[in-house]
Amino acid sequence: MERYKRKGGVFMIQKISEINNKIVLHYINEEKYKSNIIAVFLTVPLLRETVTINTLIPAVLKRGTSKYPSMQKLEIHLEEMYGSTLSASVDKTGNNHILKFYTETIKDEIVGENLFEKSVENISELIFSPYLENGIFSNEYVSQEKEILHTVINNKVNNKSSYARGRCIESLCGDEGYGMYTYGYVQDLKNINAASIYNQYIDVLKTAKIDIFVCSNKSEEEVKDTLEKYFNYDILNQRENIYIPKQTYIPSVEKTKEIKESMDVVQGNLLFGLTITNIEKLDKNAIIVLNALLGVGTNSKLFRNIREKEHLAYTASSSYIRNTNIISVYAGIEIKNYDKAVELIKKEILDLKKGNISKRELADAKSIITYSYNSLSDSPYSVINFYFDKSIANENISIDECIKRIEKVKVSDIVNVSKKLNLNVIYYLTNEQNGGVE
């Protein structure tokens, strides 16, 4: 296994192969961690008609398997495996909905047992051999998970900054693809039942892009043999029309859309939704540096000027949403400071377009990006998510190569890509006395 050594530590390199029918294995050999991590990601289109029902699939699956038909029995089994874990969730990236399954077990040599094989068996059963009643999911489990999801969706408004970020993205992208709420919509729940979820589950298994990530010190040959032994369900032999993940590209607009929404808030939540048009392959490295210059860390323009110098914001930052062409700017401000904050954020963006970037600012931006890449190896989950993001973008490159590309970015690259930056949306969540939806 090839490894790159840098000041930040040792970077793990993945090897990609295929097992069974169109299932992609990402093998990451490592000896740093005390546990083996296996992750299985099922990627499907992020569509309005399936976003809610797809969200329920992992929730129902983790309620029990054919061998361990309840959460209690499953948890007892995991405890007997020295506290192994088994989890399921959903996520989104670009126009893709991801059903994620993880298992973590302590390494075999520490306990003198073959826990790795047992963990492969556990996660394969969780996904492909669920607990069924009369050939479909349990009505009781489905009903309970619908109630839980109903609460989750309704409670999204309780975290005002998170709600505001979601509303900005929704306003930017519309009600399709990345603009949709990851967990779906309450109005869909009434038409979902045990039979419809099961039918959707079967369709997902037949058509989803399936990626298995194994972060372990086991040999690649042993990993593949074990996976092929347990990932051998009949449903996998029926796989066809496999989904090809898509990235999100939002077109620019001629006129910025301003939206103000009123709620009972103490501070204003101000967001800019920006898009980058006509992105070329290497532009993404310059975009990452541009975003760091604008609003990542205490040396960024937004933090130094909007928060520290002008005292206009409690917090000010920006984020580049990978696998999209979106940069989101966020500022938590006093309600009265809206106009001034908007003016100054626009000025900071204009400064980047003019190339008003000092050598120190550029070095600081690259340093924080490099640090974040170096820190990935601290967690196997971060390494797995890094390689998954790259697979969605159809890029097979290492963490080390990403750092090398960042180091090559010049001010002229940032200026060129900043000229492709467009302000599509300004969203402001204010209080009841100072605004309303526009």
Side-chain angles (χ1 to χ4, degrees):
M1 173 60 63
E2 182 182 7
R3 289 171 178 257
Y4 294 110
K5 294 179 180 287
R6 299 178 61 87
K7 288 183 179 180
V10 178
F11 290 142
M12 293 162 285
I13 312 302
Q14 69 168 342
K15 289 185 177 180
I16 301 175
S17 58
E18 188 173 294
I19 64 169
N20 292 339
N21 190 8
K22 300 176 183 177
I23 297 177
V24 179
L25 168 62
H26 305 255
Y27 168 69
I28 305 168
N29 181 259
E30 62 76 33
E31 299 171 358
K32 174 180 178 179
Y33 312 115
K34 293 182 179 180
S35 57
N36 294 309
I37 310 292
I38 302 171
V40 182
F41 294 167
L42 279 61
T43 304
V44 294
L46 184 56
L47 302 174
R48 179 62 187 83
E49 59 266 28
T50 57
V51 60
T52 310
I53 197 168
N54 283 343
T55 297
L56 283 166
I57 290 173
V60 174
L61 290 177
K62 68 182 180 182
R63 294 297 299 267
T65 68
S66 58
K67 186 181 289 187
Y68 304 101
S70 69
M71 290 183 71
Q72 183 182 21
K73 291 181 179 180
L74 188 55
E75 287 170 2
I76 291 173
H77 169 63
L78 293 172
E79 279 300 315
E80 291 172 347
M81 291 178 60
Y82 302 91
S84 298
T85 62
L86 196 59
S87 61
S89 61
V90 293
D91 200 356
K92 68 176 180 180
T93 178
N95 281 339
N96 311 289
H97 210 195
I98 324 298
L99 285 62
K100 294 186 172 184
F101 304 86
Y102 293 94
T103 185
E104 180 174 356
T105 51
I106 195 166
K107 285 184 174 174
D108 294 356
E109 57 269 26
I110 296 176
V111 295
E113 296 182 30
N114 192 352
L115 296 182
F116 176 77
E117 182 169 349
K118 290 180 180 178
S119 68
V120 172
E121 183 179 11
N122 286 341
I123 198 167
S124 68
E125 286 184 353
L126 181 72
I127 301 170
F128 301 106
S129 184
Y131 172 66
L132 302 178
E133 294 178 354
N134 300 316
I136 59 174
F137 288 132
S138 161
N139 284 305
E140 179 184 1
Y141 290 171
V142 169
S143 177
Q144 290 171 351
E145 292 303 328
K146 284 172 63 177
E147 288 182 15
I148 293 170
L149 183 57
H150 188 285
T151 301
V152 168
I153 296 172
N154 280 343
N155 286 349
K156 68 179 180 179
V157 73
N158 292 342
N159 184 326
K160 296 302 188 288
S161 63
S162 177
Y163 172 80
R165 293 171 197 267
R167 287 284 291 119
C168 179
I169 294 299
E170 180 183 325
S171 302
L172 187 65
C173 302
D175 57 1
E176 296 182 358
Y178 193 75
M180 287 185 288
Y181 184 51
T182 305
Y183 303 119
Y185 302 89
V186 165
Q187 57 265 39
D188 297 345
L189 293 172
K190 62 182 179 181
N191 295 321
I192 295 174
N193 55 46
S196 64
I197 295 182
Y198 183 75
N199 290 335
Q200 177 64 14
Y201 156 75
I202 294 299
D203 187 63
V204 166
L205 294 185
K206 288 181 179 180
T207 61
K209 177 184 188 294
I210 301 180
D211 293 89
I212 302 177
F213 293 82
V214 177
C215 193
S216 172
N217 62 345
K218 295 287 185 181
S219 71
E220 183 179 9
E221 181 179 5
E222 182 178 355
V223 167
K224 291 184 72 172
D225 288 345
T226 307
L227 288 171
E228 288 174 352
K229 177 180 178 180
Y230 290 101
F231 281 74
N232 62 351
Y233 293 91
D234 289 340
I235 188 70
L236 297 178
N237 297 323
Q238 304 171 33
R239 285 170 54 73
E240 56 186 20
N241 301 321
I242 307 304
Y243 175 63
I244 299 174
K246 299 175 183 177
Q247 299 186 59
T248 301
Y249 293 104
I250 309 301
S252 61
V253 295
E254 293 183 4
K255 184 179 180 181
T256 301
K257 180 167 57 175
E258 291 193 51
I259 300 170
K260 291 184 180 180
E261 187 172 354
S262 295
M263 280 190 182
D264 184 14
V265 294
V266 176
Q267 74 172 33
N269 292 267
L270 172 62
L271 287 113
F272 278 31
L274 302 114
T275 60
I276 308 104
T277 57
N278 302 317
I279 298 177
E280 298 176 9
K281 186 174 182 180
L282 293 179
D283 279 348
K284 287 194 174 183
N285 304 299
I287 295 169
I288 292 170
V289 179
L290 180 153
N291 177 62
L293 283 162
L294 180 61
V296 179
T298 56
N299 292 321
S300 66
K301 288 180 176 292
L302 290 177
F303 189 92
R304 285 187 296 106
N305 296 326
I306 307 298
R307 184 183 187 277
E308 296 295 290
K309 183 180 177 181
E310 299 292 340
H311 305 292
L312 283 176
Y314 305 104
T315 181
S317 62
S318 67
S319 58
Y320 172 44
I321 304 174
R322 297 181 187 278
N323 294 313
T324 71
N325 61 331
I326 298 169
I327 288 180
S328 174
V329 173
Y330 173 80
I333 63 174
E334 287 190 35
I335 301 294
K336 64 182 181 181
N337 288 337
Y338 172 76
D339 290 330
K340 186 66 173 177
V342 168
E343 177 187 345
L344 290 180
I345 293 172
K346 287 181 177 180
K347 178 182 179 300
E348 298 303 331
I349 296 170
L350 184 60
D351 273 355
L352 289 172
K353 292 186 176 185
K354 291 180 177 178
N356 293 335
I357 303 166
S358 69
K359 290 183 179 180
R360 176 62 183 272
E361 286 177 320
L362 183 60
D364 285 343
K366 290 182 178 181
S367 177
I368 199 167
I369 296 167
T370 300
Y371 176 80
S372 68
Y373 278 132
N374 282 330
S375 299
L376 290 174
S377 63
D378 293 341
S379 165
Y381 296 96
S382 296
V383 174
I384 287 169
N385 285 326
F386 167 82
Y387 281 121
F388 178 69
D389 282 344
K390 294 304 176 185
S391 75
I392 291 293
N394 198 27
E395 297 178 0
N396 183 19
I397 62 173
S398 67
I399 299 171
D400 183 76
E401 179 59 30
C402 287
I403 291 175
K404 289 178 180 178
R405 291 183 180 186
I406 293 298
E407 290 172 345
K408 292 178 181 178
V409 173
K410 303 182 295 239
V411 170
S412 59
D413 299 322
I414 297 166
V415 171
N416 288 336
V417 81
S418 71
K419 292 176 181 177
K420 302 177 181 181
L421 202 60
N422 298 280
L423 178 55
N424 282 32
V425 173
I426 297 175
Y427 173 86
Y428 189 47
L429 181 61
T430 182
N431 63 24
E432 302 290 350
Q433 290 75 37
N434 289 273
V437 176
E438 295 182 3

